[in-house]
Structures are given as C-alpha cells and as structure tokens.
C-alpha cells in the first residue's frame, strides 16, 4: 500500500523475547506477524488480509487509499454508461474491458456485444436484407432494375466492420474526454476491494477501488456434441466472417437464430432453422408462430423438434462443407444435412465464472451464473452489477444503459431513481419485424385470468405492400387489455415493417398507463401502419373476421 512501516524482527532483537511477552499481555497474541496500525492491534497474517479486504486498514490509516472511486469491469452497454456518468459526476473511474477470442479466433474492440457482435451489425445486415426485398418491390414502382441482382457479402461485411470500427474509436475518445481510465485487460477480483488485470501480452496489474460495477455480459454457448467447437460459428463470428456463409443451418429458435436466419436468407442464402421446441420462448406464441410461417414462405426452412447430435467436416475451405447430424426429439429419428455454415444460437452464458467473484464474496445463481441484486446492488454492499448478467433483468442494450446510468446517479448524485424493468419494449428484427411491450397473451391470461381480459386484434396490409403485390395477411397487430382496470393496455404486439419504430412510441403510452379508450381517442396518422392501433375494434373473443379492408 506504499505506506511507511516499522518491522521489529524479534529473533534479531536482544530484547525480542521480552517484547513478545509484552505483546502477549497487550493483545493476547504471541505469534508473529503481530500487526499494529497507529496503536490499534490488527492481528496475524490472515487478520491483516481480512482487515485490508473489509476496509478496516484504510479506515485506520484515514487515507483515501483506493486507486479509484469506481472500477467498472466490462466496457459494454452497461459498463460504459455507468462509468461515463460517474466520471461526469466528478469521480475517479476506470473501465476494464477485454474480449476473449472466440474458438475461431474472432475478437473485437471496445463497446461490448451490442456494438461489435450484436444490435449494430445485426440491424445493418437486417437492413441489407430489407433492401434486397425492396429491390424486388421497386420493379412494381417503375424501377427497371435487372432481374438478377447480386449481393456481395464481403462488401457488406467491410462496410459494417468499418462502421463498428468507428464506434470503437468513438468510445475510446469519449472515455478519454471524460477522464475515465480505459484498462484493456482481462479482470478478476483478488479480494473485495482489489482486482487484477492481465493484458494480451500477459502483463498483470493490481488496482483497488472503493466500489465496483460488474458488467461483463454474456457469451454464446456451444452444445456438448462432437465437432461443435471446431466447426461451428456463433453470432460472435458471423458479422466479420471472411466468406459468404452460403448454405447455413441456424441452431436454436430464439432472437439470435431467427434474426440471423432472416437476414442470411434475405441475402439469397439457403437457410434452415433447427428448432428444439418452440419459436421465441417467452414471447407471445401467436406472434412467434406468425413470424415462423412468414419466414417459411420467404425461403427459410424449418426443422422442428430436432437437436443437433454431431458436426463433421466434409471438405475444408472458405466456406467449408460441413455435415450436421440431428435427432428428432419426439420420434428419435436421426438424419443429417450438408451445408457450409452452422450457426450455434442456443443461448448465452453469463461471464461470471472466472472473474474471482468468490474472492470478493459475491453470490451468483448456481443455475445460470447470473448475479442476484436488489436495485443492482449485490450481496457485497460496495459491489454492483448491471446488464445481461443481472438475474431477473432483460438482456437488452437500453436496459443495461439505463440501469448503469441511474446507478451512477444514485451513488454519486443523491438521486433515488431506480431502473424500471416493467413494460420494457423490444423488437425482434426478423424479416417481418415483431415489436412488443408488456405481457404476452399467455402471461396476461396467467396474471389476470382470461375472464378479465379483452384482446383486440387485426391483420393489416401496409399500403406499400399493395402496389408490390405482397401477401395480404402477413402483418398482424394485437393489444391485450385488462377489463378489470378500465381496459388498461397490458400487452402490445405488432408484426410488420418498422415494428420497432411503431412500438417505441406506444411504449411511452403504456408507461403513462394508457387504456383502450386512450388508444381510441388518439387520431391516427394516415396512411401508416401505426394508425391501426387507434381504430382496432374486433375482439379475439368475438371470432369475427380480421382480414384487412380499405381505408
Ligand atoms: P456487454 O455489452 O456484453 O459487455 C460486456 C463487456 O465486458 C464485453 O466487452 C466483454 O468482453 C467484457 N468482459 C467480460 N468479462 C470480462 C473480464 N473478466 N474482464 C474484462 N472485460 C470483460 N439488444 C438490444 O437491445 N437490441 C438488439 O437488437 C440486440 N441484438 C442483439 C443481437 C445479438 C446477435 C446479440 C448477441 C445480442 C443482441 N442484443 C440486443 C443484446 C445486447 O447486445 C446486450 O443486452 C447488451 O450488449 C448487454 O450489455 P452488457 O453491458 O450487459 O454486456
Ligand atoms: P435464448 O436463450 O433466448 O434462446 C436459446 C434458443 O436455443 C431457444 O430456442 C432454445 O430452445 C434453443 N436451445 C437451447 N439449447 C439447445 C440445444 N442444446 N439444442 C438445440 N436448441 C437449443 O438465446 P438467444 O441467444 O437467442 O438470445 C439471448 C438474449 O439476447 C435474448 O434473451 C435477448 O434478450 C438478447 N437479444 C436481443 C435481441 C433484440 O433485442 N432484437 C436480438 C438478439 C438477442 P428451447 O426454447 O427449447 O429452450
């Protein structure tokens, strides 16, 4: 700790034995080391480490001995937001961020999952697919585009990576401008106030802080089957893949798998989704199935109720030729498909296992490694957690950012505003986007009882789809209302183009406690898709026809 100290080596002192007897009388301890600070007895070796760890030594020395007020572990959505806010509020802050390369060797810069291998590259690739569809539509609008247009994976990848690179740079500059120290090293706790970082050259550094924020996020999981780690990729590799993925099998049926399958198919690849049970677990299943059937009609194959059992390399190359063996979960029938790329999207593991949480005394949920908190505070009072690793949180960027920012304000600006994890809107960027806020119908029924709910719904056809002769009953919207509370809207769901843009505004209304009457008395914007929420009349319980009619 860089403090001046005096050591009495009792075996080298003439009066060592007398001193030892005197110490015994004073402190009840005869053994050495026997540590005193400013006249206060600390104890032996273990006692001294404990006193360092629990802050007693710092207190006795009456010095601000920590290197930082706040050290943030993880420079992703949540970590960066919290660190910048704390620094703006005058605190000395460091952010430690390090990306462990994937089994394929892919790595990336500062900013975490969203910026590098999540929301940002995903949405840009989704846009590439949407543009492909728009090119088809454009002919109906008079554009004489050639029948055969080619898509260049390498051009898209380079453009996306260039944008991601500029964001990485922007984050570094923002940290520097706000005087946040950026430490590019893998970080683990040594004790409750100390961390060790190891940079890519293996150089170790020790830092201390008064408080810590854990925001280490999650990484993709691989199934425990032969060939999985050697031959498959995950979303961590996809967006910078050196070659066009070609014929692709996406394993898993949640957000990541369906979104990637959607844009890869939109770029003209032959894509199959392998579904273990249902699509989009946790989401409204009405909507999930409609997404599935739209994707099926738009060149995505589905193998339902199947799990992979083995992956083999047939021929190495860029792309390689692989074979994925799978088993049907109900019949047990086995089969296999040849393809170029296998994207594992079977879920993500919390990055909490090898960051020394045991040394800091932080408890995790033994089932999923996530960290239980109360208002983002862990069981160790000066250690906090935000983002994907939070038990009972939402694995979404804006949630991590909001929680991080509000936490910094509570810690350093006397704020008492908590992050509100209720009615968090989200969008699945499948070819037809699905926006939702509030409860899925299944959850609403479980919470309120079927008899207390009214569900209003309708198919709709965006005006833009008419001239281009797109199918009529693909887009769908529904709201779920609590009859026992003035028809308060408790679930909002929309499947259609730009669903994310539509949902964001309605999420504000739901936050304000909007009822069906509020929706009805709002004047729509014509001609848009969002306006249909101001005129919804047909209830699901009536069983009436919901196919769209004119304006
Ligand atoms: P992260 O952003 O993951 O940041 C954690 C950082 O900590 C990483 O940089 C990591 O390398 C680093 N780290 C981990 N361990 C250590 C350590 N021991 N030492 C130092 N550094 C460490 N969310 C949305 O809201 N919208 C979307 O459209 C969306 N799309 C997504 C698409 C994909 C393919 C994926 C995978 C996710 C998507 N998400 C989306 C989710 C979103 O990316 C995450 O919710 C968000 O990034 C979580 O932020 P975080 O701060 O918790 O962690
Ligand atoms: P999820 O944990 O949400 O889903 C995992 C999927 O893989 C499920 O369909 C699951 O099936 C399946 N699965 C699990 N194990 C196996 C196995 N051994 N074999 C075959 N299939 C298996 O993970 P994701 O990676 O898709 O998403 C993680 C989180 O990232 C999401 O919760 C979301 O919050 C966030 N995200 C947000 C996005 C957005 O906002 N647009 C986009 C992408 C991600 P089963 O249902 O049978 O368990």
């Amino acid at each position: 700790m860089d403090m001046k100290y005096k050591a009495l080596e009792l075996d080298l002192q003439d009066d060592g034995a007398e001193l030892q007897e005197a110490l015994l009388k004073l402190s009840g301890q005869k053994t050495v080391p026997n540590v005193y600070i400013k006249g206060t007895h600390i104890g032996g070796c273990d006692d001294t480490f404990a006193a360092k760890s629990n802050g007693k030594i710092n207190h006795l020395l009456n010095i601000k001995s920590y290197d930082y007020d706040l050290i943030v572990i993880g420079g992703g959505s949540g970590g960066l937001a919290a660190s910048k806010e704390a620094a703006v509020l005058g605190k000395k802050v460091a952010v430690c961020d390090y990306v462990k390369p994937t089994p394929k060797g892919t790595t990336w810069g500062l900013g975490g999952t969203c910026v590098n291998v999540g929301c940002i590259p995903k949405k840009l690739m989704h846009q590439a697919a949407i543009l492909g569809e728009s090119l088809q539509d454009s002919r109906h609008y008079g554009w004489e585009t050639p029948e055969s247009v080619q898509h260049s994976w390498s051009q898209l990848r380079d453009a996306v990576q260039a944008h991601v690179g500029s964001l990485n740079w922007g984050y570094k500059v923002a940290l520097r401008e706000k005087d946040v120290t950026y430490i590019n090293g893998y970080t683990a706790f040594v004790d409750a106030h100390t961390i060790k970082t190891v940079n890519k050259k293996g150089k170790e550094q020790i830092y201390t802080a008064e408080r810590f924020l854990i925001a280490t996020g999650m990484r993709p999981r691989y199934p425990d089957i032969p060939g999985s780690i050697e031959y498959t990729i995950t979303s961590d590799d996809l967006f910078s893949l050196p070659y066009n993925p070609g014929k692709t099998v996406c394993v898993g049926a949640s957000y990541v798998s369906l979104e990637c399958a959607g844009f890869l198919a939109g770029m003209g690849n032959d894509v199959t989704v392998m579904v273990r049970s249902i699509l989009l677990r946790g989401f409204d299943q009405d909507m999930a199935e409609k997404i599935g059937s739209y994707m099926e009609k738009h060149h995505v194959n589905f193998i339902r109720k199947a799990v992979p059992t083995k992956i083999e390399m047939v021929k190495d190359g860029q792309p390689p030729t692989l074979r994925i063996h799978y088993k049907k979960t109900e019949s047990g029938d086995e089969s296999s498909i040849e393809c170029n790329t296998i994207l594992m999207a079977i879920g993500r593991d919390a990055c909490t296992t090898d960051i020394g949480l045991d040394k800091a005394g932080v408890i995790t949920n033994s089932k999923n490694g996530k960290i239980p908190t109360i208002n983002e505070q862990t069981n160790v009072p000066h250690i906090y957690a935000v983002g994907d690793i939070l038990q009972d949180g939402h694995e979404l960027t804006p949630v991590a950012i909001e929680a991080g920012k509000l936490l910094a304000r509570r810690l350093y600006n006397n704020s008492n505003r908590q992050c509100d994890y209720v009615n968090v809107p989200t969008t699945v960027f499948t070819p037809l986007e699905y926006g939702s806020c509030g409860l899925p119908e299944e959850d609403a029924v479980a919470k309120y009882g079927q008899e207390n709910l009214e569900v209003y719904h309708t198919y709709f056809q965006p005006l833009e789809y008419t001239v281009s002769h797109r199918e009529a009953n693909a887009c769908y919207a529904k709201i779920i209302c609590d009859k026992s509370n003035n028809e308060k809207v408790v679930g909002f769901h929309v499947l259609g183009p730009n669903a994310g843009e539509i949902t964001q505004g309605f999420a504000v209304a739901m936050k304000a406690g909007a009822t069906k009457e509020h929706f009805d008395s709002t004047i729509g914007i014509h001609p848009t898709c969002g306006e249909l929420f101001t005129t919804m009349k047909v209830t699901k319980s009536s069983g009436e026809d919901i196919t769209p009619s004119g304006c």
Side-chain angles (χ1 to χ4, degrees):
M1 295 178 71
D2 272 340
M3 302 298 299
K4 283 194 184 139
Y5 65 91
K6 181 168 180 174
L8 295 179
E9 300 295 347
L10 298 182
D11 53 350
L12 303 179
Q13 301 247 153
D14 289 339
D15 57 353
E18 285 162 57
L19 274 169
Q20 203 160 12
E21 284 308 316
L23 285 171
L24 177 63
K25 277 190 196 146
L26 271 173
S27 61
Q29 182 185 331
K30 194 173 178 185
T31 56
V32 290
N34 193 347
V35 179
Y36 282 76
I37 294 179
K38 292 186 175 175
T40 300
H41 180 237
I42 301 292
C45 181
D46 288 350
D47 301 324
T48 308
F49 276 117
K52 172 73 178 75
S53 171
N54 65 27
K56 186 174 173 188
I57 291 185
N58 291 324
H59 180 70
L60 283 170
L61 293 173
N62 198 22
I63 48 163
K64 200 172 171 191
S65 62
Y66 298 120
D67 300 324
Y68 292 94
D69 295 313
L70 176 70
I71 289 182
V72 176
I73 310 176
S77 308
L80 288 178
S83 62
K84 286 186 281 186
E85 194 69 17
V88 166
L89 293 169
K91 294 295 151 184
K92 190 177 176 198
V93 185
V95 175
C96 309
D97 190 66
Y98 188 84
V99 179
K100 275 192 181 172
T102 70
K104 288 267 171 285
T106 313
T107 185
W108 51 88
L110 181 63
T113 303
C114 172
V115 174
N116 294 285
V117 287
C119 332
I120 300 298
K122 179 277 302 290
K123 181 85 189 287
L124 292 171
M125 293 208 170
H126 170 66
Q127 174 64 8
I130 298 280
L131 284 173
E133 280 193 311
S134 300
L135 267 177
Q136 305 300 327
D137 286 354
S138 70
R139 294 188 194 109
H140 297 281
Y141 283 89
W143 291 100
E144 292 172 1
T145 41
E147 271 311 311
S148 163
V149 281
Q150 297 306 313
H151 179 262
S152 162
W153 169 265
S154 56
Q155 198 175 333
L156 171 66
R157 180 207 54 217
D158 290 351
V160 168
Q161 288 305 318
H163 179 64
V164 169
S166 74
L167 294 176
N168 297 146
W169 173 248
Y171 282 122
K172 275 195 193 172
V173 171
L175 290 184
R176 204 179 311 139
E177 280 173 357
K178 293 189 165 57
D179 269 342
V180 177
T181 310
Y182 166 44
I183 300 165
N184 186 200
Y186 190 79
T187 308
F189 281 98
V190 174
D191 64 41
H193 278 283
T194 314
I195 52 154
K196 181 167 85 178
T197 64
V198 184
N199 75 9
K200 64 176 176 223
K201 291 183 184 147
K203 188 174 173 216
E204 296 184 359
Q205 299 270 19
I206 297 283
Y207 301 96
T208 59
E210 187 185 10
R211 290 186 169 119
F212 291 87
L213 175 63
I214 310 167
T216 45
M218 300 176 88
R219 293 294 290 268
R221 184 180 307 146
Y222 289 83
D224 187 14
I225 56 171
S228 140
I229 292 183
E230 299 93 306
Y231 304 132
T232 73
I233 63 163
T234 69
S235 53
D236 279 0
D237 304 295
L238 179 64
F239 305 108
S240 57
L241 204 64
Y243 50 83
N244 186 331
K247 184 175 176 185
T248 304
V249 175
C250 299
V251 183
S254 198
Y255 264 114
V256 174
S257 182
L258 294 183
E259 291 185 340
C260 295
F263 69 67
L264 289 175
M267 291 170 201
N269 292 300
D270 176 341
V271 178
T272 299
V273 177
M274 191 174 290
V275 184
R276 178 168 72 175
S277 56
I278 55 171
L279 303 185
L280 290 174
R281 180 178 298 286
F283 281 92
D284 190 293
Q285 284 302 299
D286 219 5
M287 309 301 292
E289 275 309 312
K290 285 183 169 58
I291 292 174
S293 56
Y294 181 85
M295 288 177 74
E296 249 162 340
K297 283 188 204 134
H298 288 253
H299 318 297
V300 178
N301 312 303
F302 282 82
I303 302 176
R304 303 260 186 169
K305 305 243 183 309
V307 287
T309 51
K310 187 169 71 173
I311 318 287
E312 284 172 329
M313 170 72 78
V314 177
K315 189 165 170 281
D316 206 354
Q318 294 221 333
T321 305
L322 305 169
R323 180 163 289 279
I324 176 165
H325 296 260
Y326 63 92
K327 191 162 89 179
K328 299 288 270 183
T329 52
E330 284 171 350
S331 62
D333 291 348
E334 294 187 10
S335 191
S336 70
I337 326 173
E338 210 168 82
C339 60
N340 302 113
T341 299
I342 298 164
L343 178 86
M344 285 298 171
I346 62 161
R348 298 167 61 78
D349 292 322
C351 299
T352 53
T353 45
D354 52 359
I355 57 170
L357 291 183
D358 51 335
K359 295 191 176 123
V362 175
I363 291 169
T364 57
N365 178 331
S366 58
K367 285 199 191 118
N368 56 17
K370 290 200 171 191
I371 303 181
T373 58
I374 298 173
N375 299 330
E376 293 90 29
Q377 187 174 37
T378 72
N379 63 304
V380 179
H382 67 276
I383 302 182
Y384 302 81
V386 293
D388 283 4
I389 52 158
L390 215 59
Q391 180 176 286
D392 308 321
H394 296 273
E395 293 163 19
L396 294 168
T397 281
V399 178
I401 293 175
E402 179 81 347
K405 206 171 56 183
L406 294 182
L407 174 68
R409 287 182 192 163
R410 289 200 305 278
L411 294 180
Y412 301 121
N413 203 26
N414 292 324
S415 161
N416 56 12
R417 220 178 107 201
Q418 303 291 349
C419 183
D420 184 359
Y421 292 92
V422 177
N423 281 347
V424 170
T426 184
T427 291
V428 184
F429 293 96
T430 35
L432 258 195
E433 295 177 12
Y434 164 36
S436 86
C437 183
L439 298 175
E441 195 173 333
E442 298 82 352
D443 294 10
V445 170
K447 182 168 177 187
Y448 296 99
Q450 185 79 63
E451 66 286 3
N452 288 319
L453 295 177
E454 196 69 270
V455 178
Y456 296 86
H457 69 158
T458 185
Y459 282 112
F460 64 97
Q461 189 176 31
L463 176 66
E464 297 79 0
Y465 279 20
T466 53
V467 167
S468 52
H469 306 301
R470 294 230 205 155
E471 60 264 61
N473 289 341
C475 303
Y476 176 74
K478 76 171 170 187
I479 54 172
I480 303 158
C481 305
D482 174 12
K483 281 195 288 190
S484 64
N485 187 12
N486 217 13
E487 287 207 312
K488 184 176 173 190
V489 180
V490 295
F492 175 98
H493 304 273
V494 57
L495 179 64
N498 304 309
E501 307 297 342
I502 299 173
T503 307
Q504 185 67 78
F506 283 101
V508 176
M510 286 176 70
K511 186 117 194 129
T515 62
K516 178 71 168 68
E517 167 60 21
H518 288 121
F519 276 45
D520 291 344
S521 59
T522 301
I523 293 175
I525 301 171
H526 192 65
T528 65
C529 294
E531 68 175 321
L532 69 91
F533 286 98
T534 64
T535 56
M536 277 174 124
K537 286 194 181 58
V538 182
T539 60
K540 212 173 179 185
S541 55
S542 73
E544 282 174 31
D545 182 28
I546 53 163
T547 48
S549 49
C551 25

